[in-house]
């Protein structure tokens, strides 16, 4: 439609698009190129910190690898992140490598629209910047959007300890496939960070796309613990092994045994092992992708279903 072409010239594209995607669909493939090798990291990389922007993977791809995102169906290059090796995190059995994101570019829009659209988006970010509030630099947000070319699932994380219970959304999460580990990057200001470090147990609920509104509302739990599980606006049940309260309507419940945690930039990186998995229902799951990715797919006539 002509409007899809004209609109991005007038109004900035949304940074994020909230979309309904079936679990396990690999619409975009991520490969890490470094040290003369290239390896599929679609299920083996995750964001570890927002300030500075850092990526964790169980591969050591040398000093300056390049992360490429390609459309799985066509092989088209959608985006690139340039990385510089930082530190390693060693857990009991595996080593995770952390990389700074030093540069990035996407190819979802042709020039000059790409540069114009970035300018419009950055202008809005700078205008809406609240003093004393957490807000990464526009260039880092643009790079973060590239990391979201692989649509990222949103989950609800449940935490329970005597005197503290909480449930909040996270999407800086994911498997680090080769190590068999799973990571969560939670801002160190979250009131649940010390509890998670102590209890070393959380329940992760994959959420149907239809629950978007309630999931966003739960972001408030960043600063306030939940007064009572019964106050939640949806039915709940206990998780299988840990007995932590989770939404009854979750598509899948996983229980995570946390084996390591450490501060990485603005976030605390929790690394753990999935110790149980209950697949409860079929259906599309709440995901986020970059607004320019959705614009690209819309132009091709294959947009993600937006929620
Ligand atoms: C869909 C969604 C996903 C989120 N994922 C994360 C996450 O992975 N890590 C994190 O630290 N916070 C995550 N948040 C929480 C928000 O960043 C947090 O609640 C928000 O920043 C409010 O805190 P603030 O007022 O201190 O900024 C997420 C929030 C939403 C709505």
């Amino acid at each position: 439609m002509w409007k899809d072409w004209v609109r991005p010239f007038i109004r900035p594209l949304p940074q994020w698009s909230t979309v309904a995607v079936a679990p396990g669909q690999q619409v975009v493939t991520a490969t890490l190129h470094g040290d003369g090798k290239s390896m599929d990291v679609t299920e083996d990389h995750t964001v570890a910190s927002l300030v500075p922007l850092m990526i964790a993977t169980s591969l050591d791809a040398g000093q300056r690898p390049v992360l490429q995102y390609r459309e799985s169906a066509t092989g088209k290059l959608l985006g690139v992140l340039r990385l510089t090796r930082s530190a390693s995190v060693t857990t009991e059995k595996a080593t995770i490598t952390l990389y700074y994101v030093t540069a990035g570019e996407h190819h979802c829009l042709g020039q000059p629209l790409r540069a114009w659209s970035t300018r419009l988006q950055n202008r809005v970010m700078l205008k809406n910047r609240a003093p004393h509030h957490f807000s990464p630099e526009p260039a880092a947000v643009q790079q973060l959007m590239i990391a979201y070319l692989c649509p990222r699932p949103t989950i609800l994380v449940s935490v329970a300890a005597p005197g503290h219970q909480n449930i909040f959304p996270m999407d800086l999460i994911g498997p680090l496939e080769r190590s068999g580990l799973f990571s969560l990057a939670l801002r160190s200001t979250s009131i649940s960070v010390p509890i998670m470090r102590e209890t070393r147990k959380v329940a992760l609920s994959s959420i149907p796309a239809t629950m978007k509104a309630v999931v966003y509302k739960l972001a408030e739990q960043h600063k306030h613990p939940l007064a009572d599980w019964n106050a939640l606006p949806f039915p709940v049940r206990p998780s299988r092994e840990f007995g932590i309260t989770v939404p009854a309507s979750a598509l899948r419940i996983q229980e995570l045994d946390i084996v390591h945690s450490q501060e990485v930039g603005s976030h605390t990186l929790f690394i753990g092992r999935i110790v149980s998995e209950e697949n409860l229902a079929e259906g599309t799951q709440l995901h986020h992708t970059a607004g320019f990715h959705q614009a690209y797919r819309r132009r091709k006539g294959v947009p993600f279903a937006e929620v």
Side-chain angles (χ1 to χ4, degrees):
M1 255 204 320
W2 68 269
K3 278 187 190 160
D4 295 336
W5 290 89
V6 172
R7 200 180 288 126
F9 279 101
I10 306 164
R11 272 195 274 146
L13 285 172
Q15 286 170 21
W16 311 109
S17 200
T18 317
V19 295
V21 179
Q25 270 198 7
Q26 291 195 349
V27 187
V28 173
T29 306
T31 43
L32 190 61
H33 303 262
D35 270 357
K37 289 177 272 187
S38 58
M39 285 150 290
D40 188 326
V41 289
T42 315
E43 295 291 320
D44 202 341
H45 78 292
T46 181
V47 173
S49 156
L50 293 184
V51 181
L53 183 58
M54 294 180 83
I55 300 280
T57 166
S58 41
L59 287 173
D60 185 342
Q63 268 319 106
R64 294 187 191 281
V66 172
L67 185 53
Q68 290 189 341
Y69 295 93
R70 288 182 186 273
E71 190 173 36
S72 305
T74 61
K76 179 186 159 59
L77 184 63
L78 296 176
V80 173
L81 289 178
R82 292 177 202 287
L83 310 179
T84 296
R85 197 177 190 289
S86 165
S88 314
V89 176
T90 303
T91 68
E92 35 168 31
K93 285 199 186 107
T95 301
I96 306 300
T97 310
L98 298 174
Y99 284 98
Y100 293 110
V101 176
T102 49
E105 78 252 356
H106 76 83
H107 303 281
C108 292
L109 307 170
Q111 294 289 30
L113 177 56
R114 193 190 317 158
W116 177 244
S117 167
T118 304
R119 214 174 130 175
L120 289 182
Q121 284 184 328
N122 290 357
R123 207 167 62 181
V124 172
M125 278 186 245
L126 288 170
K127 207 171 123 198
N128 294 339
R129 234 171 175 197
H132 315 302
H133 202 82
F134 181 73
S135 45
E137 291 298 319
V141 178
Q142 293 290 344
Q143 292 159 356
L144 180 66
M145 287 186 242
I146 293 167
Y148 276 73
L149 282 169
C150 280
R152 298 235 155 228
T154 297
I155 58 165
L156 284 177
V157 177
S158 304
V159 182
H164 178 107
Q165 62 241 328
N166 211 356
I167 182 164
F168 49 87
M170 287 192 74
D171 61 3
L172 303 177
I173 59 148
L176 299 169
E177 196 175 42
R178 288 171 183 82
S179 61
L181 297 168
F182 191 97
S183 75
L184 310 173
L186 183 57
R187 256 181 77 201
S188 301
T189 49
S190 163
I191 37 133
S192 291
V193 164
I195 314 294
M196 287 164 65
R197 288 191 120 150
E198 203 179 300
T199 62
R200 295 176 157 251
K201 283 180 177 36
V202 285
L204 315 177
S205 307
S206 301
I207 297 302
T210 47
M211 284 178 71
K212 176 186 167 183
V214 76
V215 165
Y216 271 73
K217 188 91 183 83
L218 287 172
E220 290 167 9
Q221 307 306 131
H222 189 74
K223 290 202 176 121
H224 312 283
L226 190 69
D228 183 353
W229 290 116
N230 292 323
L232 289 170
F234 45 75
V236 293
R237 45 157 282 189
S239 69
R240 193 167 69 197
E241 314 251 326
F242 299 164
I244 302 178
T245 303
V246 293
S249 51
L251 301 175
R252 180 174 67 170
I253 310 290
Q254 293 171 301
E255 291 176 313
L256 186 75
D257 214 346
I258 296 166
V259 297
H260 182 88
S261 63
Q262 75 176 63
E263 274 191 43
V264 178
S266 51
H267 283 59
T268 299
L269 184 66
F270 291 94
I271 297 175
R273 286 189 188 283
I274 302 285
V275 291
S276 83
E277 180 164 318
E278 288 176 86
N279 290 297
L280 300 171
E282 306 225 324
T284 55
Q285 190 183 343
L286 191 61
H287 281 69
H288 287 112
T289 193
F292 48 66
H293 186 203
Q294 175 71 331
Y296 164 80
R297 292 190 61 96
R298 196 177 288 125
R299 271 202 334 274
K300 288 191 58 182
V302 285
F304 294 114
E306 276 191 53
V307 287

